[in-house]
Amino acid sequence: LNDRPAPASGEKLFYLPIHDVEECFKGERLLVVTDERLAELFGRSFSGSKLLVVPEGERAKSWHSLSSLFDDFVRLGVDRSWNLLALGGGSVSDLAGFAAHLWMRGISFSCAPTTLLAMVDASLGGKNGVDFRGYKNALGSFQRPECIFCDVSALSSLDPVQFASGLAEAVKHAVIDGESYFSFLESLLAEGGGAGAFSHPRCGAESLKRLVTESQRIKLAIVDADPFEKGRRRVLNLGHSFGHALELETGLPHGFSVSLGMALALRYALRGGLIEDDERSRILRLLAGFGLPVDLSLLADGALRARVSASLFMDKKREGATMNFVLPRGIGHVETARIPVEALRSFLEEAWK
Ligand SMILES: NC(=O)c1ccc[n+]([C@@H]2O[C@H](COP(=O)([O-])OP(=O)(O)OC[C@H]3O[C@@H](n4cnc5c(N)ncnc54)[C@H](O)[C@@H]3O)[C@@H](O)[C@H]2O)c1
């Protein structure tokens, strides 16, 4: 196995085919949480394990799914000797990670991410949770998985929209990390068929593997230094306050919402003279080149704007009359700022004109 040592409290990364993952738990009890589509695609690779199937996408992240999982745990007699594996995208790992953390005060939890977004971001770092009464990720905890099993070939069945969604998190990592990863991502546009036409089948397996490992390196370095998001880890929320509000209110895929959230943060930074226009344009070009939305006028509908705005100010990053907002100041230069809610509200009204 091509593994890397786990950091003190963190996850171990393995790169191996999905059909070999079950073998890693040989002699142990394995419970696999997955969604309907993935049970069909990959379920037969787990014929010796118990498979629990949850709804696809964000619908998995509900109180109802959580309590159904616990009903299954009772039925199966799951105790602390069991291992729980999330086989799927971020929706499955967010739900399963939370269930694993709560059950009997914690059972062993690992992930086999099947979306690009989960490989580069959602499966790492231990944030988990479900939505509750219109609040995105309102219930959740921090509990890092033990192992992450990555098989980039599993991404070949992913549709282009979901693939692009994962690229948004990779761009976010590049904006945080700096020029080297950012220009590597730019080089993929040429390899993948040019701006707007980038897709997984056109991107070589080696490039894809490098993208996954670089993003993982960047995210894990930040999480290892600040596992409970008391400081630096907050930069990983770039584009996410607005993104989460959009995702909930529009049903746009996570990465599409985050892309628009980054576009908004870039506009805020430009207006305050915090970023040069050519740096901002370069980031927007990369997002758009990957087929991600950056045009805020997409949100033309007044009623939708009101709902997104209301949802934004219910976000976890709000602290009383201020919000922790992540501001991109350039490629490799991202910082957090406390911005008065009223200032953000009037900026939003202006940005949406
Ligand atoms: N915990 C974190 O740190 C973190 C970080 C980022 C995002 N998230 C969360 O992740 C969720 C989004 O997850 P996601 O974008 O990975 O998608 P997802 O889990 O919602 O899945 C999207 C769709 O893709 C399908 N799919 C997954 N893998 C496939 C494959 N290999 N082939 C074909 N179809 C496949 C699924 O069945 C589903 O229909 C959001 O709820 C978001 O909040 C969490």
Side-chain angles (χ1 to χ4, degrees), residues 35 56-58 61 89-91 94 114-115 127 136 154 157 254:
D35 74 25
E56 280 178 39
E58 196 71 21
K61 290 175 54 172
S91 301
D94 276 8
T114 62
T115 61
K127 277 190 184 176
K136 173 97 177 151
S157 51
H254 183 81

Side-chain angles (χ1 to χ4, degrees), residues 149-194:
F149 302 97
C150 290
D151 177 1
V152 288
S153 72
L155 301 178
S156 57
S157 51
L158 203 58
D159 72 47
V161 166
Q162 293 298 341
F163 188 72
S165 179
L167 290 169
E169 297 286 11
V171 174
K172 178 193 78 178
H173 293 145
V175 173
I176 293 169
D177 196 56
E179 183 57 37
S180 163
Y181 187 40
F182 195 91
S183 50
F184 165 69
L185 293 183
E186 286 179 322
S187 75
L188 293 181
L189 283 182
E191 184 182 335

